Amino acid sequence: MVSLSGMRLTRKRVGSFLIALYCLFSFYAAYHVFFGRRRRASAASSRGFRKGVAPVRERRVREQSTLESEEWNPWEGDEKNEQQHRLKTSLQINKSTKGKTDFQVQIWGKAAIGLYLWEHIFEGLLDPTDVTAQWREGNSIVGRTHYSFITGPAVVPGYFSVDVNNVVLVLNGREKEKVFYATQWLLYAQNLVQTQKLQHLAVVLLGNEHCNNEWINQFLKRNGGFVELLFIIYDSPWINNMDVFQWPLGVATYRNFPMVEASWSMLHNERPYLCNFLGTIYENSSRQALMNILKQDGIDKLCWVSVREQWQPQETNESLKNYQEALLQSDLTLCPVGVNTECYRIYEACSYGSIPVVEDVMTAGSCGNTSVYHNAPLQLLKSMDAPFIFIKNWKELPTILEKEKSIILQEKIQRRKMLLHWYQHFKTELKMRFTNILENSFLMNSKG
């Protein structure tokens, strides 16, 4: 028989063994809870980094696919290539400029066309976003050039610090009172150059619609002044692509025409109107002839037409909304000449994928007949192969609209794609040209 003391000893050993086993199991579980999770997270993070964070990328792809079913990717499969190209270009720019002194240029936006330059062509942001703010500013890098932009009522000569050597001054010289204001800015800039607080100056000018811009001649460097480069709107006879260049009118930012983000419906939907025209009818103008033609045979029933007899400098929220809706719902946008052939409507139609039908005739005044081009008016747009419909007489319109009726939706979609793609390329090309011209001129003159 087993003694009582022996049984107690056996029980004690078994109990000790179970307690030790329990402790060992507890330590094992605690290790996995506190250390195993961290190790797995670290390993997953490491794997994700090596593979480009695949789970995040997959989630973004799913989110993007969902978004693209609602929004729009106009170039479909080309978007990825475009994004890769932009990333590659960005990396190349950063690599090429690393360790080098950036070329600094400040843009003083003292005319509404400055917003088209900055927000639409440069795709720059402004802080604050409030369009009524007294002072707004932004920054952008193009190639080796670092741009800063300032605008607003608080940007007044002598009341802000000038800490750059190179300035682009955006001015309005369309009317007499605007010329007086622009002249004050040029006299201020002249003083900065003479006191060596500024080295180089270029001007972007909203010129007179008749191309009567003689007032700025005295300030041009070729005439003994200090303005090295002039980018001028409308088909000025001064354009020589050496020191005077043509610049586009763009959209009516002064009327708060927005940056337009293209949508899937903008590209693919059937548009209920063949054409649109919302504008002012001037007496004895081709616009009157256009209205007469639209009324023939009920053509105006096929188009969104809304006219007024007096020009209004500002739009109401309702009128702007109606105008944008007309562009979005029309296959064609009729662009008759006004005081000048070039009008905001051309660029606004491009923003919505509505083909501009442009009256291709010279207006009264001194525009055209440049030393470089002989295809005025609209020589800048034509030189960049704008995919518009150009006509010489509105009597051609009924034939154009009759042809439009026979075009199937798929063809219209391709045409909208082409227009939107061209317009984006147009703005990108202008940004690069502008930058190259500034760099070549300012840097060369600095060395000289």
Side-chain angles (χ1 to χ4, degrees), residues 188-380:
Y188 170 65
Q190 184 179 44
N191 180 64
L192 292 176
V193 172
Q194 290 173 346
T195 56
Q196 298 183 346
K197 295 178 181 178
L198 197 63
Q199 287 187 8
H200 304 292
L201 183 81
V203 170
V204 177
L205 179 66
L206 175 56
N208 177 269
E209 290 177 281
H210 295 294
C211 293
N212 297 325
N213 303 300
E214 284 73 17
W215 66 273
I216 201 173
N217 239 327
Q218 60 179 313
F219 297 105
L220 300 184
K221 191 167 186 177
R222 63 182 179 182
N223 298 323
F226 59 95
V227 176
E228 298 175 31
L229 300 168
L230 177 63
F231 298 86
I232 192 166
I233 293 171
Y234 302 124
D235 293 280
S236 170
W238 297 352
I239 296 169
N240 57 19
N241 285 344
M242 291 183 289
D243 64 337
V244 182
F245 304 85
Q246 189 167 10
W247 194 251
L249 178 61
V251 303
T253 54
Y254 76 98
R255 288 182 172 178
N256 297 320
F257 191 88
M259 286 282 295
V260 179
E261 292 292 335
S263 64
W264 188 94
S265 59
M266 180 190 293
L267 182 70
H268 291 90
N269 281 6
E270 189 81 59
R271 300 191 178 190
Y273 298 96
L274 288 183
C275 68
N276 78 78
F277 175 70
L278 286 72
T280 307
I281 303 298
Y282 303 110
E283 189 175 356
N284 299 322
S285 70
S286 65
R287 297 186 177 197
Q288 284 187 329
L290 169 60
M291 291 308 301
N292 292 334
I293 290 171
L294 285 172
K295 291 175 183 177
Q296 293 177 6
D297 302 323
I299 294 178
D300 56 338
K301 302 293 190 300
L302 305 173
C303 300
W304 185 326
V305 179
S306 178
V307 299
R308 57 196 178 200
E309 294 182 356
Q310 287 190 332
W311 179 76
Q312 298 177 7
Q314 294 296 332
E315 299 284 355
T316 64
N317 289 335
E318 183 180 0
S319 65
L320 179 59
K321 183 178 179 181
N322 285 339
Y323 176 56
Q324 291 176 267
E325 191 66 18
L327 295 174
L328 181 61
Q329 299 297 335
S330 306
D331 290 314
L332 309 175
T333 293
L334 307 182
C335 303
V337 300
V339 181
N340 193 280
T341 309
E342 188 174 10
C343 60
Y344 297 111
R345 186 179 287 106
I346 294 173
Y347 303 91
E348 292 161 352
C350 290
S351 299
Y352 279 94
S354 182
I355 305 295
V357 181
V358 181
E359 185 178 9
D360 186 19
V361 297
M362 286 299 308
T363 50
S366 303
C367 299
N369 302 317
T370 72
S371 59
V372 176
Y373 296 110
H374 301 284
N375 59 347
L378 307 174
Q379 57 190 15
L380 176 63

Side-chain angles (χ1 to χ4, degrees), residues 84-96:
Q84 291 173 357
H85 174 71
R86 288 181 181 178
L87 177 60
K88 184 177 180 181
T89 301
S90 176
L91 292 173
Q92 288 174 343
I93 290 172
N94 292 335
K95 185 176 180 180
S96 64

